[in-house]
Amino acid sequence: MFKNKGFIFTLAVLFLVLVVGFFTEGKQQAKTTSSITNTSDADAKTSYKVGLLQFVSHPALDQITAGVREGLKESGLIEGENLEIVFQNGQADQSKLTTMSQQLINQGSDILVGIATPAAQALANQTNELPIILGAVTDPVGAGLVDNMEKPGANITGVSDKAPVLEQLKLAQELLPDAKKVGILYSSAEDNSKYQVAEAVKIAKELGLSTEEFSVPSTNEVSQVVQVMAQQVDFIYIPLDNIIANAMPAVVNEANKLKVPIITSADTMVAEGGLATIGINQFSIGVQAGKMAASVLRGEAKPATTPIYTFTEGDLILNEKQAEFLQIEIPEKLKADAVIVGGDSK
Ligand code: TRP
């Protein structure tokens, strides 16, 4: 009897294990099935094509483009699964930008992303309907891209990387207390720079600095213009200008010959041999633009009513090697808060 009971007990336990196992497995299967159904449902509606147009190659725009890809990914849009990205680089050539914009539209993009002002303008010239996301456009209103920062009004919204010019010039004065004259270097073709140059001239005067503007028509003239300006100014200020960012190694090379410090508007330009800036992290600009693209694609947001995103805080970026080379003492209290980046100090 006793033995028998034990046998029955063992059987019962075995049976229980089997039954529980069966149900758990069943549940798991049910779960997998339902999640498969969900994704495939979603897939049917959410396979998107993004047309990405970058104005030119320079480290900042390259990081912003990488950030856009990351922002899309973080929003659940995965390349090869539910997302196709068609990428074009306009190489600072107006006619290329126009052709590429047309191609991106003709290839059936669901949304367009313009990295830097001239790229966004080229896209906007081709369509009033297809949504366009601005990646790092300094002054969307001044560039004629939107009516209003809060209510863009049409098919365009996105991210502005407007720089904290006052903080940047105050930083210049802290690092270079004897400086009296600032030379502002930019390319005459970029609407983004026009805005920031006007702002810098006004603020510099308020801070007691005299200013002179040096504009270049294209990359080819950069070295020559920097040679001239380096003889006339105490430091060089560079706005968020793409042609200058693209020619940064040449700028640093010429400025270093006369040991003229460069205050930039982006961390990437400090890494390449600028002295310092207070700037917005470039990658994070792209991530934000990518996320906005995803929510417009999913129908969660409409460009017309989605405010342009702006950043409120920049990071203090210093190039210590460059400071050493220029024999500039960095105050300890600045160092404590700064991101130190290495760079050219030939
Ligand atoms: N804001 C620039 C524009 O509107 C693009 C840009 C982003 C940029 N980051 C930069 C330019 C860094 C120079 C350096 O076109």
Side-chain angles (χ1 to χ4, degrees):
M1 276 289 274
F2 188 66
K3 260 189 182 170
N4 233 353
K5 254 191 186 168
F7 181 66
I8 289 172
F9 180 75
T10 317
L11 263 184
V13 167
L14 257 176
F15 180 73
L16 254 176
V17 168
L18 274 176
V19 166
V20 169
F22 177 80
F23 273 108
T24 331
E25 177 137 313
K27 255 193 195 155
Q28 259 169 12
Q29 250 176 22
K31 225 171 149 194
T32 334
T33 324
S34 79
S35 78
I36 283 173
T37 327
N38 271 346
T39 11
S40 60
D41 259 352
D43 266 349
K45 283 177 263 149
T46 61
S47 193
Y48 300 114
K49 193 164 187 170
V50 174
L52 187 53
L53 182 63
Q54 180 176 324
F55 171 51
V56 69
S57 293
H58 62 71
L61 298 192
D62 295 345
Q63 281 187 26
I64 294 167
T65 292
V68 170
R69 292 177 187 273
E70 173 67 20
L72 288 163
K73 195 160 121 195
E74 282 177 21
S75 308
L77 298 183
I78 316 290
E79 257 186 287
E81 283 180 26
N82 52 3
L83 176 69
E84 185 189 342
I85 297 177
V86 183
F87 174 76
Q88 300 266 30
N89 185 329
Q91 297 167 332
D93 179 328
Q94 216 49 56
S95 71
K96 276 191 184 141
L97 287 165
T98 304
T99 319
M100 288 171 176
S101 299
Q102 288 161 349
Q103 282 170 355
L104 291 174
I105 293 167
N106 294 340
Q107 285 165 7
S109 298
D110 298 301
I111 198 165
L112 303 165
V113 182
I115 307 297
T117 300
Q121 287 171 324
L123 292 170
N125 281 340
Q126 300 301 325
T127 177
N128 295 320
E129 281 153 33
L130 213 54
I132 298 175
I133 302 296
L134 308 177
V137 167
T138 304
D139 178 21
V141 176
L145 289 160
V146 304
D147 291 340
N148 180 301
M149 295 286 277
E150 285 304 311
K151 276 205 175 134
N155 59 327
I156 304 177
T157 188
V159 182
S160 160
D161 61 339
K162 196 183 268 184
V165 180
L166 175 64
E167 280 87 350
Q168 290 171 346
L169 290 175
K170 276 189 179 162
L171 172 67
Q173 286 188 312
E174 252 185 292
L175 291 167
L176 314 163
D178 299 329
K180 293 186 176 55
K181 182 172 178 185
V182 48
I184 305 174
L185 177 64
Y186 64 101
S187 67
S188 44
E190 291 182 45
D191 282 335
N192 38 301
S193 301
K194 274 180 205 143
Y195 166 84
Q196 198 180 338
V197 170
E199 182 112 332
V201 167
K202 193 179 109 222
I203 292 173
K205 295 218 164 104
E206 286 166 9
L207 294 175
L209 293 163
S210 69
T211 61
E212 185 167 345
E213 294 173 33
F214 294 84
S215 70
V216 298
S218 78
T219 319
N220 300 336
E221 293 78 16
V222 170
S223 289
Q224 196 196 332
V225 169
V226 178
Q227 266 171 35
V228 173
M229 79 187 292
Q231 294 168 29
Q232 300 176 17
V233 303
D234 297 317
F235 72 95
I236 296 172
Y237 176 73
I238 305 178
L240 291 162
D241 185 288
N242 297 288
I243 295 298
I244 304 299
N246 175 258
M248 194 60 190
V251 174
V252 173
N253 191 39
E254 292 304 331
N256 276 356
K257 287 181 188 164
L258 292 175
K259 295 207 171 190
V260 177
I262 306 170
I263 300 296
T264 75
S265 291
D267 47 2
T268 45
M269 296 163 112
V270 177
E272 285 189 287
L275 174 63
T277 190
I278 293 177
I280 303 160
N281 179 275
Q282 301 297 308
F283 187 74
S284 67
I285 296 171
V287 171
Q288 180 60 31
K291 287 181 176 169
M292 289 175 88
S295 63
V296 169
L297 279 172
R298 295 207 159 109
E300 296 156 7
K302 287 202 163 46
T305 51
T306 304
I308 302 288
Y309 186 97
T310 51
F311 291 82
T312 48
E313 293 221 345
D315 306 319
L316 169 59
I317 317 284
L318 291 173
N319 187 328
E320 254 184 344
K321 269 198 204 157
Q322 192 64 18
E324 233 167 76
F325 168 75
L326 298 166
Q327 290 156 307
I328 290 164
E329 191 88 42
I330 299 176
E332 282 306 320
K333 74 171 204 310
L334 277 186
K335 254 191 216 175
D337 301 330
V339 179
I340 309 287
V341 294
D344 202 326
S345 54
K346 280 178 284 155

